[in-house]
């Protein structure tokens, strides 16, 4: 089918590339001319595993091309709108780009078109879109509007698009349902050349869920807000574990074994970030409150998340005492691994807090350095984790990039001012580093000290529990 995709951000690029991959004829329109020219040169504006290769193959197979929004509108029988809906200051989603595209479709398109909202939008946007198209159409446009929310995660968006758990479509008549079924049939049947897995394991067929447009719009916000709530819940439990000397990893394992809870999204840490959870939780609160519904539960989710950085800073203060003049190494800037995205990344707030305290920061990230320099120009960026840790008073693990799991710990210890690691993602096994003489501090788990001057492991344990309690009592306990 001839399909247009408007907007070449994470959602638009992934959607365009994957729809071409499963055999459709796709035109991706982008209004940012600089971005468009890089795309036409098959250079990706984002780091996303597999994307570059798929786009290149689809372009050379003439199943994918990039051009202006106008050109794209003129191309497809179905038009997927994937423009950004960033947060406004009050937390509402900014729908101006979406409205502008709707106006262009109304003015330019003729004949029948299926207009699909794929951007994350507040409930009732579909109804607004329908009205807007009817008010502004001047070319005898016949159309349907459908909602088709995406559930892609950055860093695995291609896999998530091609092997989804569910495909949700919101329609109000049979015709758009029929068209969307045809578009997604190869994915529903899991019958396509998979660019991710060489021998693609048999994936279960995703559920093709057909609902009302408004329900589909709500499923997106509700799903993201629920996942964010799960993370804030386990972070809250982590705080309690620190206060009572329990191990949050064990607690999360015990909880997750209950299929009604499930193990996913129960990893405590320094908080959720990225361009989705923070803004979707805010937008969902706004939508609900404007409809007279109390969503204070989500306000708590936000508050718990915002407190994570301050809590991590207090852990560091408990270790290094005076922050001013300390050199802190930050490992990881992206909001999560396998992406170069630093939007709403916890690293940004953390580094700003460290700088406010008078510390100096040296940072390393395998992918996100260039994007981070745009928001944090006044720190040092390093080529590798060791360079960042050189002469530092502490290493903070902020993004759980796989490479941080296999460091040369002895080498690291020899170049640091003191062997101290604070793990904001609980990615390391404490023994792995304490056996090399590091002091290791993580989230909601026992503080583990290196064996020192004849103290037994038990005694180290009690002293660390005492120290941990000190954090919660925010009074300093000396080890002497
Ligand atoms: C999210 C949703 O997962 C996806 O379905 C939706 O389409 C877009 O928003 P994404 O923002 O790419 O995807 O990242 P995700 O993997 O969900 O992680 C979000 C944040 O939560 C990251 O900062 C991550 O570090 C954090 N997180 C995730 C935790 O702190 N603990 C967890 O257990 C899981």
């Amino acid at each position: 089918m001839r399909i247009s995709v408007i907007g070449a951000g994470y959602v638009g690029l992934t959607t365009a590339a994957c729809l071409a991959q499963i055999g459709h004829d796709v035109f991706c329109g982008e209004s940012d001319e600089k971005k468009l020219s890089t795309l036409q040169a098959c250079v990706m504006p984002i780091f996303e595993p597999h994307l570059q290769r798929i786009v290149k193959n689809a372009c050379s197979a003439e199943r994918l091309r990039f051009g202006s929004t106008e050109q794209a509108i003129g191309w497809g029988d179905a038009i997927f709108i994937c423009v950004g809906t960033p947060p406004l200051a009050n937390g509402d989603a900014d729908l101006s780009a979406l409205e502008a595209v709707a106006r262009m479709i109304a003015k330019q398109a003729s004949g029948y078109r299926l207009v699909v909202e794929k951007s994350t939008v507040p409930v009732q946007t579909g109804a607004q879109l329908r009205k807007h198209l009817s008010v502004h159409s001047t070319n005898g446009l016949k159309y349907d509007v459908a909602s088709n929310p995406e559930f892609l995660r950055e860093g695995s968006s291609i896999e998530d698009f091609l092997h989804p758990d569910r495909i949700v479509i919101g329609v109000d008549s049979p015709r758009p349902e029929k068209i969307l079924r045809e578009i997604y049939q190869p994915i529903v049947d899991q019958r396509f050349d998979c660019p991710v897995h060489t021998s693609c394991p048999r994936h279960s067929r995703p559920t093709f869920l057909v609902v009302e447009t408004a329900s589909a719009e709500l499923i997106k916000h509700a799903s993201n807000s629920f996942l964010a709530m799960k993370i804030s819940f386990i972070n809250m439990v982590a705080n309690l574990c620190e206060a009572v000397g329990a191990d949050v990893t064990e607690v999360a394992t015990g909880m997750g074994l209950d299929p009604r809870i499930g193990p996913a999204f129960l990893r405590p840490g320094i908080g959720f970030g990225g361009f989705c959870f923070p803004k979707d939780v805010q937008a969902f609160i706004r939508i609900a409150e404007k409809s007279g519904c109390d969503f204070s539960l989500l306000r708590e989710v936000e508050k718990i998340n915002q407190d994570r950085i301050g809590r991590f800073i207090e852990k560091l203060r408990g270790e290094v005492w005076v922050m001013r003049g300390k050199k802190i190494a930050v490992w990881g800037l992206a909001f999560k691994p396998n992406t170069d995205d630093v939007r709403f990344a916890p690293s940004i707030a953390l580094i700003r807090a460290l700088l406010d305290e008078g510390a100096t920061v040296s940072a390393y990230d395998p992918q996100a350095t260039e994007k981070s320099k745009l928001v944090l120009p006044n720190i040092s960026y390093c080529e590798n984790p060791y360079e960042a840790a050189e002469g530092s008073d502490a290493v903070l693990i902020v993004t759980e990039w796989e490479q941080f799991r296999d460091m040369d710990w002895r080498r690291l210890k020899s170049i640091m001012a003191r062997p101290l690691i604070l793990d904001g993602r609980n990615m390391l096994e404490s023994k792995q580093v304490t056996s090399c003489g590091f002091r290791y501090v993580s989230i909601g788990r026992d503080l583990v000290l290196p064996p020192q001057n004849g103290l037994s492991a038990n005694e180290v344990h009690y002293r660390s529990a005492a120290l941990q309690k000190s954090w919660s009592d925010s009074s300093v306990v000396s080890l002497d």
Side-chain angles (χ1 to χ4, degrees):
M1 187 184 297
R2 283 164 72 100
I3 297 176
S4 306
V5 173
I6 312 296
Y10 270 94
V11 175
L13 263 181
T14 303
T15 303
C18 291
L19 288 178
Q21 177 71 25
I22 64 174
H24 297 296
D25 226 351
V26 180
F27 197 119
C28 184
E30 172 55 51
S31 55
D32 173 329
E33 280 174 19
K34 197 157 150 282
K35 197 169 171 183
L36 181 54
S37 54
T38 58
L39 287 166
Q40 287 169 331
C42 268
V43 176
M44 296 305 104
I46 54 173
F47 170 78
E48 184 63 36
H50 311 295
L51 183 64
Q52 170 101 17
R53 178 166 45 80
I54 297 172
V55 166
K56 254 203 167 106
N57 295 348
C59 287
S60 46
E62 295 186 4
R63 278 203 315 278
L64 176 59
R65 66 273 310 150
F66 294 96
S68 67
T69 306
E70 292 76 7
Q71 289 172 311
I73 288 173
W75 172 269
D77 306 321
I79 303 175
F80 283 75
I81 305 181
C82 302
V83 294
T85 53
L88 295 167
N90 65 5
D92 285 347
D94 176 356
L95 300 178
S96 54
L98 192 87
E99 191 210 51
V101 171
R103 182 81 57 96
M104 289 169 77
I105 295 172
K107 294 259 174 275
Q108 191 190 320
S110 57
Y112 175 85
R113 301 300 172 91
L114 171 57
V115 178
V116 184
E117 55 176 27
K118 202 163 190 43
S119 309
T120 302
V121 293
V123 65
Q124 307 300 355
T125 301
Q128 289 288 8
L129 252 181
R130 257 184 222 103
K131 210 163 79 196
H132 205 72
L133 289 170
S134 72
V135 169
H136 294 284
S137 94
T138 52
N139 245 352
L141 172 68
K142 302 252 173 311
Y143 62 88
D144 279 309
V145 169
S147 167
N148 174 219
E150 53 69 30
F151 304 99
L152 313 173
R153 291 165 297 166
E154 292 184 26
S156 60
S157 71
I158 302 290
E159 186 162 359
D160 292 347
F161 192 102
L162 295 174
H163 302 300
D165 307 314
R166 82 276 209 207
I167 296 169
V168 173
I169 65 163
V171 292
D172 294 348
S173 62
R175 188 173 184 180
E177 177 185 340
K178 184 167 171 301
I179 295 170
L180 284 164
R181 260 188 206 289
E182 190 187 329
I183 289 173
Y184 280 112
Q185 203 57 48
I187 292 183
V188 171
D189 301 340
Q190 286 293 294
R191 199 173 26 77
F192 54 81
D193 294 343
C194 178
V196 175
H197 312 99
T198 29
S199 60
C200 193
R202 262 215 75 53
H203 282 81
S204 54
R205 291 163 57 93
T207 304
F208 191 81
L209 183 66
V210 183
V211 296
E212 300 285 332
T213 306
S215 307
E217 292 163 338
L218 278 183
I219 289 172
K220 173 66 189 190
H221 273 125
S223 302
N224 269 2
S225 299
F226 186 87
L227 292 172
M229 182 178 70
K230 234 181 148 179
I231 297 168
S232 280
F233 186 87
I234 200 66
N235 281 330
M236 192 180 64
V237 172
N239 298 350
L240 180 59
C241 287
E242 286 171 7
V244 300
D247 184 326
V248 70
T249 315
E250 296 175 344
V251 176
T253 307
M255 290 169 62
L257 288 168
D258 181 333
R260 295 168 301 170
I261 301 172
F265 282 64
L266 285 180
R267 271 182 301 107
I270 52 174
F272 57 76
F275 198 58
C276 293
F277 283 3
K279 84 170 167 71
D280 290 352
V281 169
Q282 259 191 18
F284 207 28
I285 293 170
R286 294 280 304 164
I287 294 163
E289 289 175 353
K290 276 197 272 184
S291 321
C293 302
D294 167 11
F295 262 31
S296 46
L297 170 67
L298 289 185
R299 288 203 178 285
E300 269 316 300
V301 166
E302 272 187 322
K303 186 177 167 309
I304 292 167
N305 199 56
Q306 279 143 11
D307 291 350
R308 301 310 291 164
I309 297 300
R311 223 186 141 80
F312 199 56
I313 289 275
E314 286 319 308
K315 269 184 201 291
L316 180 60
R317 197 190 311 283
E319 296 299 320
V320 301
W321 196 9
V322 178
M323 290 279 207
R324 184 164 302 287
K326 293 290 188 314
K327 180 182 175 198
I328 307 298
V330 169
W331 285 1
L333 295 161
F335 81 97
K336 59 185 245 187
N338 304 323
T339 176
D340 60 353
D341 199 346
V342 295
R343 293 176 293 179
F344 301 95
S347 61
I348 309 295
L350 175 70
I351 290 171
R352 288 201 172 118
L354 290 169
L355 297 176
D356 291 351
E357 297 263 355
T360 59
V361 173
S362 297
Y364 166 75
D365 188 288
Q367 290 294 341
T369 296
E370 289 319 308
K371 293 213 169 137
S372 182
K373 282 180 181 166
L374 303 173
V375 280
L376 284 171
N378 46 11
I379 64 169
S380 355
Y381 291 93
C382 305
E383 292 304 313
N384 63 63
Y386 298 105
E387 189 192 326
E390 185 88 35
S392 66
D393 298 281
V395 162
L396 309 186
I397 298 181
V398 176
T399 316
E400 64 275 31
W401 286 96
E402 204 46 37
Q403 67 184 99
F404 300 150
R405 222 181 274 289
D406 283 333
M407 302 298 294
D408 176 342
W409 303 112
R410 295 193 190 291
R411 174 182 167 196
L412 183 67
K413 185 163 180 278
S414 67
I415 58 173
M416 290 179 69
R418 68 176 281 191
L420 171 61
I421 296 175
L422 276 80
D423 185 348
R425 294 295 178 183
N426 283 6
M427 75 173 296
L428 301 180
E429 288 308 316
S430 44
K431 286 197 180 52
Q432 185 188 2
V433 286
T434 55
S435 58
C436 301
F438 280 90
R439 184 183 184 87
Y440 176 71
V441 180
S442 63
I443 309 272
R445 304 189 291 186
D446 268 4
L447 158 73
V448 181
L449 299 170
Q452 44 187 286
N453 46 32
L455 290 177
S456 71
N458 264 357
E459 194 158 31
V460 167
H461 173 69
Y462 284 115
R463 285 188 171 224
S464 60
L467 186 68
Q468 204 153 316
K469 191 153 185 342
S470 78
W471 285 327
S472 51
D473 303 352
S474 65
S475 60
V476 177
V477 174
S478 67
L479 286 182
D480 302 322

